[in-house]
Amino acid sequence: MNEPAGRMPVVVLVSGRGSNLQAIIDAADQGRIPATIEAVVSDSADAFALERARRASIAALTLIRRDFPDRLAYDAALADLIESHNPGLVVLAGFMRILGPATVQRYAGRMLNIHPSLLPAYAGLDTHRRVIEAGEIETGASVHFVTETLDAGPAIIQARVPVKPDDDADRLAARVLEREHQIYPMAIGWFAEGRLEMRDGRAWLDGKPLDEPIRLEQATKSSAA
């Protein structure tokens, strides 16, 4: 199990606006999670997330796929760049590139992702449109460990969001994102505190396997107790 010792070094991978990155930065700055973001790495030089990192005096780094001959070379360079910051945890925060098996294996049990659905439902892209078209009355967000199968790693915590009759994909996405900003720092905090781990293909919290993901309501009630 992870031993809590000071603030855990974290590397965050991003591709876009970085609103989840900002939620993590804020949580770390406010002392709500014992973590320090050592670097933010993007596959897009135009990602606004890099500006968020600069404003927080965090190393803002870019690694572009087209600068490498193939995916294997890119993945190897990305893994080396991550490793140069000695992270205890790697966080995917809107990173839109699928990582190769070697990179995932290198950080097995030390890499988290967030997905805008109640996994295992609606893995993959275009989630909110698919949820609405299917007539779902509820959706949400899930934090999970990263494994080689896309969006299939063991889920840690989920937040549920109702689908309203007048929702379109953008309105639904905005409400789900609000919950993402709550649950992602929580999961990162648990890991940094040594409470969370992946063992035998399952998520474990406080030494107990999670038969199902923690719900946001449970986590909030527990922290208030």
Side-chain angles (χ1 to χ4, degrees):
M1 199 159 182
N2 309 301
E3 293 298 327
R7 297 175 69 85
M8 177 170 286
V10 175
V11 171
V12 183
L13 306 187
V14 297
S15 292
R17 295 175 301 167
S19 67
N20 269 309
L21 168 66
Q22 190 65 57
I24 298 163
I25 290 173
D26 292 345
D29 286 349
Q30 294 163 12
R32 290 187 281 121
I33 59 174
T36 299
I37 303 175
E38 297 291 340
V40 172
V41 182
S42 179
D43 62 341
S44 170
D46 298 328
F48 185 69
L50 294 172
E51 178 60 24
R52 295 182 189 272
R54 295 184 191 103
R55 292 176 183 177
S57 300
I58 298 168
L61 309 172
T62 304
L63 204 66
I64 307 298
R65 167 66 182 87
R66 64 174 176 270
D67 294 337
F68 295 85
D70 54 40
R71 175 180 165 179
L72 287 177
Y74 178 83
D75 275 6
L78 178 61
D80 288 343
L81 181 57
I82 293 169
E83 196 61 29
S84 70
H85 295 277
N86 299 308
L89 178 67
V90 179
V91 172
L92 309 186
F95 190 63
M96 300 305 292
R97 183 166 297 280
I98 297 174
L99 298 172
T103 304
V104 173
Q105 290 168 10
R106 186 169 183 171
Y107 294 102
R110 294 191 294 137
M111 183 180 285
L112 299 181
N113 188 31
I114 191 161
H115 184 75
S117 78
L118 298 174
L119 292 174
Y122 299 100
L125 300 175
D126 211 8
T127 305
H128 303 298
R129 179 190 61 78
R130 292 158 55 207
V131 164
I132 291 170
E133 289 181 353
E136 300 286 0
I137 62 172
E138 185 178 59
T139 184
S142 307
V143 180
H144 64 95
F145 283 103
V146 176
T147 60
E148 291 182 44
T149 303
L150 181 67
D151 297 332
I156 300 156
I157 181 170
Q158 293 182 330
R160 295 173 179 268
V161 175
V163 181
K164 298 181 179 180
D166 61 346
D167 267 338
D168 60 19
D170 290 339
R171 282 194 290 268
L172 182 56
R175 293 206 315 282
V176 171
L177 195 59
E178 291 176 3
R179 295 293 178 259
E180 292 181 33
H181 296 166
Q182 293 178 273
I183 63 175
Y184 217 176
M186 281 185 179
I188 293 166
W190 294 339
F191 190 92
E193 292 163 356
R195 298 173 57 193
L196 173 66
E197 65 177 329
M198 186 173 76
R199 191 197 316 168
D200 301 326
R202 303 175 72 182
W204 291 62
L205 184 64
D206 295 332
K208 299 177 181 178
L210 295 179
D211 295 325
E212 58 183 26
I214 300 292
R215 290 195 180 192
L216 173 60
E217 296 80 7
Q218 294 174 289
T220 303
K221 189 178 299 183
S222 175
S223 62

